[in-house]
Amino acid sequence: MSTPSTPSPPLPFDDLLHAVGSRRSSYGYISGLALDRAAPGEVWTSLAYRPAFVGDTGTGVIHGGVVTAMLDETCGMAVQLALDGTRSIATLDLRIDYQKPATPGLAIRAHSVCYRVTRSIAFVRATAYQESEDEPVATATACFMAGANRTNMLTRPTEREFGTPPTLELPDDPTGPFANSPFARWLGIRDHEDGTLVMPFSPRIVGNPILPAIHGGITGAFLETTALVGVARELGPSAVPKPIGLTVNYLRSGRALDSYASVSIVKQGLRIVAFEAQAWQDDRSKPIASAFGHFMLRRTAGSDEE
């Protein structure tokens, strides 16, 4: 008969803040996400502009998935600082609304507030911005489960202190579908079969290193990339999709396995398209996450439609 594990003692805020700052996700460390300041249930972070984060080399604008992953992690830190350090957390759902493209070359900042905690659920909202929080790049709302599992990251030994982030190496693929999307290439996303994409597992996309489990924000980035590629292929080169909003529902933990995703168009208009995407691993009937969202269609020169 197994002996029940002893619950972790509550942490004073200063100790909790140090634990949150030094025991974050593997992707958070690699991306260089900085915890700038904090208060109980509230966090300010920043992420320097890096060439590997770019979603379109033609504009230099960073990939929406970078913003999604940053907001997911910032929201998670705010939730941890609203709790007492004794419970693990997991993202249940995350909604991102894109307000405007990020200016190339500038860092992105985020401010997150956990505004309500119940016995099992924490509710949080966040803003990503550059020069002023009054002019957001994106906004987010999310729900997290408290006590989601027994792998509380805040109680594990400190593996490394957050400092200068490592160099992000980009695979060269000038003729592939992501030749103009460095972040998609860095994630290793590639075509699979029957319109699906695959994202190989890598330690650098891990969120919870104890399980290990894929970072929820990276799963969201994968779903968004799949939707962008699938909708663009379906509608042709005359309509370029621009993200408006994305809601990700997390259904199962993304394990240390390759992930697959596909997208379908739910409704198409002249200016707006609604889509639904799913991601799975070894069993398509058991998705790890689903997403619903909208793209605005930017008609290119020479298109017959207005």
Side-chain angles (χ1 to χ4, degrees):
M1 182 175 179
S2 60
T3 303
S5 58
T6 303
S8 303
L11 293 175
F13 181 76
D14 288 347
D15 293 342
L16 177 61
L17 177 59
H18 180 266
V20 170
S22 60
R23 296 174 175 87
R24 299 212 309 274
S25 72
S26 299
Y27 171 76
Y29 167 74
I30 291 170
S31 70
L33 182 66
L35 173 56
D36 295 330
R37 61 190 178 102
E42 194 167 8
V43 168
W44 289 261
T45 63
S46 60
L47 187 69
Y49 182 89
R50 304 176 76 178
F53 292 157
V54 170
D56 182 355
T57 54
T59 63
V61 174
I62 69 168
H63 194 291
V66 174
V67 179
T68 297
M70 178 185 189
L71 287 171
D72 178 49
E73 181 129 351
T74 304
C75 285
M77 286 190 282
V79 171
Q80 288 174 321
L81 292 176
L83 302 174
D84 57 9
T86 65
R87 289 177 285 175
S88 63
I89 63 171
T91 316
L92 291 176
D93 62 55
L94 175 68
R95 175 179 173 83
I96 306 289
D97 290 302
Y98 296 105
Q99 311 291 324
K100 65 176 184 178
T103 301
L106 296 182
I108 295 183
R109 306 183 185 282
H111 177 203
S112 179
V113 179
C114 180
Y115 60 90
R116 177 170 170 75
V117 177
T118 69
R119 182 176 180 179
S120 301
I121 305 297
F123 301 87
V124 61
R125 53 177 172 257
T127 302
Y129 59 98
Q130 291 183 295
E131 296 182 316
S132 171
E133 193 169 347
D134 294 330
E135 298 180 1
V137 170
T139 56
T141 56
C143 293
F144 284 73
M145 177 180 287
N149 50 59
R150 297 181 180 180
T151 58
N152 186 358
M153 291 170 56
L154 301 186
T155 62
R156 80 179 197 275
T158 303
E159 297 175 358
R160 56 201 169 196
E161 293 295 332
F162 280 67
T164 302
T167 301
L168 302 184
E169 300 291 341
L170 283 174
D172 190 23
D173 188 14
T175 62
F178 300 108
N180 295 323
S181 182
F183 187 63
R185 295 206 315 274
W186 184 77
L187 292 177
I189 300 173
R190 62 178 187 269
D191 277 319
H192 181 54
E193 58 185 22
D194 299 328
T196 66
L197 297 182
V198 57
M199 180 175 68
F201 175 77
S202 167
R204 62 190 178 186
I205 64 172
V206 165
N208 185 330
I210 302 176
L211 289 174
I214 297 173
H215 195 291
I218 294 300
T219 299
F222 180 40
L223 285 166
E224 180 179 328
T225 301
T226 301
L228 284 166
V229 171
V231 169
R233 287 174 174 173
E234 180 72 18
L235 300 185
S238 65
V240 180
K242 175 184 177 183
I244 299 174
L246 179 75
T247 299
V248 182
N249 292 299
Y250 296 94
L251 308 174
R252 292 174 176 83
S253 177
R255 296 171 292 156
L257 300 171
D258 293 353
S259 300
Y260 304 86
S262 65
V263 64
S264 59
I265 293 176
V266 177
K267 184 178 181 180
Q268 178 190 343
L270 290 178
R271 299 177 59 194
I272 304 294
V273 60
F275 65 87
E276 187 171 15
Q278 281 198 338
W280 68 93
Q281 293 187 311
D282 53 351
D283 187 341
R284 189 165 186 167
S285 68
K286 296 179 179 179
I288 60 172
S290 65
F292 181 85
H294 294 87
F295 291 146
M296 179 176 289
L297 301 179
R298 296 175 291 181
R299 298 294 173 182
T300 59
S303 172
D304 294 333
E305 300 182 58
E306 298 182 359

